[in-house]
Amino acid sequence: MIINGVTIDATFAEAFPMKATRAIITAHNEKWALIAAQAMTGFATSVIACGCEAGIDRMLDPSETPDGRPGVAVMIFAMGGKGLAKQLETRAGQCVLTSPTSALFAGIDSDIKIPLGKNLRYFGDGFQIAKVINGKRYWRIPVMDGEFLTEATTGQVSAIGGGNFLVLAQSQEQALTACEAAIEVMQKVPGVIMPFPGGVVRSGSKVGSKYTTLNASTNDAFCPTLKGMTKTELSPEIESVMEIVIDGLTKEDIDKAMRVGIQAVCDLGAANGIKRISAGNYGGKLGPFHFHLQEIMA
Amino acid sequence: MSALTFTLKYQPKQRVDMSPLVCQLLQGKTTQQIAALELQSGKLKLRVDQVFDISGDDTQAIVIKNSFAKLDFIGKELDGGSITVEGDAGAYLAMGMKTGEIKVTGSVGLYAACEMKKGYLEIGGNVGDFLGAALPGNKMGMKGGTILVKGNAGERVGDHLRRGTILIEGNAGDYCGSRMTAGTIAVMGQTGRYLGYAMRRGTLLLWNQPQLSASFNDCGSHTLGFLPLLFNSFKKFNSKFADASVAFNRVQRYAGDMSEMGKAEVLVKIK
């Protein structure tokens, strides 16, 4: 398949089941809501070493938030429910509770509840106050700038992590420009996050390493400087490869994000140095979710 | 199906125990069976059809017409369904109500919604003492749900209140919120003496400055983030509380009762 001179490889992205949650952070203004959200979703690019993958789902208008202030919806993905709960609580406590004027609310409903402010309340040292409003329990924790208001729990849902595609370009600058264009449109798709810095990862990994202590290492088949010394996947004109990784609440969300992202890359086309779109997989043996690029773009 | 309607034929001289006429106890019964039920009135037992004309057949939507202030225990331990009372109601209305909805167009007597667990009670007129309270000797009053009073409330509103919300559009009498353990009482009108007497936790939300005892301490003026959520939750009610113009988030906060646990708060609207 070729779109605007860009070859779409007959391959697929291989993704895995994850557990996810969503939370809403509000603050006095958009600036401080965003600061709290960025802090909460920082150092969360990959479960390999961060314990979770997190990112901003979207900005929320005051009319969409529980307390009528500007807000940001964030999502956190982890390999299991226990790890997810731990990450959520730690991040909420260190990054949102501490952020001026912030409040924290559940962002997704589910039968499975995990603590949001349920245990953070003990920071109140006995001065905390519970309020049940419309059947939901909130905690008011006295803090130095007033009160930190947080919902007691949020929902935990089954989700998918590791959707991805690779942008193969003639130069580093062209690969980056294409990825930026893709991320801009993908960020508008609800229910997905692109957890890497700016949504783009330049150090895609393979499973395993020659060093036995490492469980992931550089994806040498896609490293342009190794074309002459490894079993490369790259043709001679490819000088730079960048990857976009997508975690989503459903397969459909990831499908949609990949489609608009790849389309944005293809719109730049071969004329702008974009040669191929590929994807990372492990031969289909590890992850149950397969995102076939040509099917998505059909 | 039309609402099961009980129209009072005459006003008995003695008080009438209406507790058998709740939705869950009437479910599956025919009109004849319902007519044959007995209601305690003083030392007499009166057949339902002696006191009421019965019409309709939907046992999950009960209407009591021509009701007056001697019909006690209406909606006792109601567990789903709705009861509409046209007129006044006696004491112990919605006592121990588990879920469902009760609406009274007139005024109500003592101990309304005492030890109520869940559900919604709306009183169009005034209500007597001990609204949402615990029964004498008990330590736990209303545990959940919402009460809306459009008129005035008597003394000891929410005595031993454990959880839930009481909204009063008019005035509340003395000892409002006494011995509260938790929950919320909002009063738009005036409040009486000894407000929050021996309150442990919970919130009294007031539109007018109360006469506070010395055991409540001023914590200053604040903008509280939970108040917009609370007022939003009132929007579903047919009430002045649903009007966005009455909402506020700027309050004077008083903590008390310092002679008790002292973790309760009185929030007074800053005008």
Side-chain angles (χ1 to χ4, degrees):
Chain A
M1 177 186 270
I2 295 171
I3 302 174
N4 199 19
V6 181
T7 302
I8 310 294
D9 282 3
T11 186
F12 59 91
E14 191 172 347
F16 301 88
M18 294 183 91
K19 299 295 179 191
T21 189
R22 190 170 180 269
I24 293 171
I25 300 166
T26 66
H28 175 65
N29 55 32
E30 195 177 283
K31 173 188 168 184
W32 281 101
L34 197 54
I35 286 171
Q38 284 166 338
M40 189 185 189
T41 57
F43 185 58
T45 54
S46 168
V47 286
I48 293 174
C50 303
C52 70
E53 296 177 7
I56 289 169
D57 180 17
R58 65 187 183 96
M59 303 301 293
L60 299 172
D61 190 74
S63 63
E64 298 176 280
T65 62
D67 63 356
R69 301 193 300 170
V72 181
V74 297
M75 295 203 294
I76 302 178
F77 292 71
M79 296 311 286
K82 209 171 170 183
L84 180 70
K86 188 183 172 196
Q87 287 290 334
L88 175 66
E89 201 159 73
T90 309
R91 287 164 184 272
Q94 297 303 306
C95 307
V96 186
L97 166 67
T98 56
S99 181
T101 76
S102 68
L104 186 59
F105 304 98
I108 196 163
D109 199 16
S110 165
D111 290 339
I112 303 172
K113 304 286 184 197
I114 53 175
L116 191 61
K118 189 178 173 182
N119 299 318
L120 295 183
R121 74 178 194 260
Y122 294 113
F123 183 73
D125 199 23
F127 295 104
Q128 68 273 20
I129 297 171
K131 276 279 160 243
V132 177
I133 300 172
N134 267 345
K136 292 179 181 170
R137 180 177 293 274
Y138 298 87
W139 284 100
R140 297 163 53 198
I141 303 169
V143 285
M144 286 171 22
D145 79 343
E147 270 187 354
F148 173 55
L149 177 67
T150 173
E151 204 164 329
T153 59
T154 185
Q156 176 196 299
V157 295
S158 294
I160 302 168
N164 68 77
F165 62 90
L166 305 172
V167 178
L168 287 68
Q170 270 179 309
S171 72
Q172 198 179 65
E173 193 181 344
Q174 286 167 323
L176 188 62
T177 302
C179 287
E180 283 176 345
I183 288 297
E184 195 178 330
V185 292
M186 292 169 77
Q187 281 172 338
K188 292 175 186 161
V189 178
V192 297
I193 58 162
M194 283 64 71
F196 281 93
V200 188
V201 52
R202 63 96 173 261
S203 59
S205 59
K206 67 176 183 292
V207 176
S209 162
K210 69 176 279 191
Y211 305 107
T212 51
T213 53
L214 294 180
N215 52 20
S217 62
T218 194
N219 193 356
D220 53 270
F222 285 92
C223 290
T225 57
L226 302 181
K227 272 186 281 194
M229 53 193 299
T230 191
K231 192 184 173 190
T232 189
E233 290 280 342
L234 306 180
S235 49
E237 76 276 19
I238 306 296
E239 197 178 302
S240 184
V241 180
M242 292 184 192
E243 181 177 358
I244 292 178
V245 174
I246 308 122
D247 297 337
L249 295 179
T250 65
K251 187 172 186 303
E252 290 69 34
D253 292 335
I254 295 178
D255 270 342
K256 189 175 179 190
M258 286 179 69
R259 188 180 313 117
V260 299
I262 293 171
Q263 188 58 54
V265 172
C266 291
D267 286 346
L268 290 168
N272 287 295
I274 311 301
K275 292 296 176 187
R276 273 171 60 201
I277 299 289
S278 191
N281 63 60
Y282 312 98
K285 290 173 186 167
L286 295 179
F289 302 103
H290 298 165
F291 296 91
H292 292 269
L293 298 182
Q294 292 188 354
E295 283 177 20
I296 286 171
M297 298 310 293
Chain B
M1 290 217 296
S2 56
L4 177 61
T5 305
F6 298 98
T7 307
L8 192 70
K9 291 178 178 174
Y10 70 103
Q11 294 191 346
K13 287 189 177 172
Q14 297 292 334
R15 309 190 74 84
V16 180
D17 179 354
M18 296 283 286
S19 59
L21 302 185
V22 288
C23 303
Q24 74 271 19
L25 296 180
L26 300 185
Q27 195 166 20
K29 285 190 165 61
T30 63
T31 306
Q32 288 73 25
Q33 287 170 320
I34 293 169
L37 290 172
E38 289 183 328
L39 305 176
Q40 191 75 40
S41 177
K43 61 181 180 182
L44 300 176
K45 284 188 186 297
L46 303 174
R47 275 175 60 102
V48 171
D49 58 1
Q50 269 182 276
V51 188
F52 295 102
D53 286 325
I54 305 170
S55 62
D57 51 3
D58 183 0
T59 57
Q60 297 309 296
I62 294 174
V63 178
I64 300 171
K65 287 188 172 175
N66 299 341
S67 181
F68 79 123
K70 285 185 179 175
L71 299 186
D72 294 341
F73 296 106
I74 293 175
K76 185 185 174 189
E77 295 179 358
L78 179 71
D79 196 6
S82 72
I83 298 178
T84 304
V85 180
E86 295 181 4
D88 296 340
Y92 304 104
L93 171 78
M95 172 178 160
M97 175 171 164
K98 290 173 182 164
T99 182
E101 184 178 292
I102 299 177
K103 287 184 179 175
V104 181
T105 60
S107 293
V108 174
L110 299 171
Y111 282 104
C114 63
E115 302 184 7
M116 171 174 161
K117 294 176 179 69
K118 214 177 170 185
Y120 176 65
L121 170 63
E122 184 179 307
I123 296 168
N126 300 326
V127 62
D129 299 344
F130 292 99
L131 173 69
L135 288 168
N138 288 354
K139 288 276 191 183
M140 217 179 269
M142 176 178 170
K143 289 179 202 159
T146 303
I147 302 171
L148 170 64
V149 180
K150 298 200 170 188
N152 302 322
E155 295 181 4
R156 296 273 183 182
V157 171
D159 186 45
H160 280 307
L161 183 72
R162 180 67 187 85
R163 204 178 292 123
T165 307
I166 300 177
L167 307 174
I168 299 167
E169 290 185 9
N171 304 326
D174 297 345
Y175 293 97
C176 177
S178 58
R179 303 186 288 186
M180 262 174 78
T181 318
T184 304
I185 300 175
V187 184
M188 275 189 176
Q190 302 295 328
T191 46
R193 295 170 302 166
Y194 306 112
L195 181 87
Y197 178 86
M199 257 178 109
R200 293 163 65 82
R201 292 191 299 267
T203 303
L204 293 176
L205 185 63
L206 308 180
W207 271 250
N208 294 297
Q209 183 67 35
Q211 181 189 337
L212 279 169
S213 62
S215 53
F216 279 81
N217 292 348
D218 190 352
C219 296
S221 46
H222 303 282
T223 303
L224 297 181
F226 86 99
L227 286 171
L229 271 78
L230 191 67
F231 282 110
N232 265 338
S233 73
F234 299 157
K235 281 187 178 166
K236 61 191 173 207
F237 301 129
N238 169 30
S239 165
K240 285 183 195 168
F241 284 94
D243 183 354
S245 66
V246 305
F248 54 87
N249 64 355
R250 187 94 185 125
V251 291
Q252 193 74 20
R253 183 174 192 267
Y254 300 90
D257 183 340
M258 293 301 169
S259 62
E260 238 293 347
M261 187 188 270
K263 288 185 177 173
E265 62 182 357
V266 178
L267 305 177
V268 185
K269 178 185 177 184
I270 295 177
K271 291 176 180 171

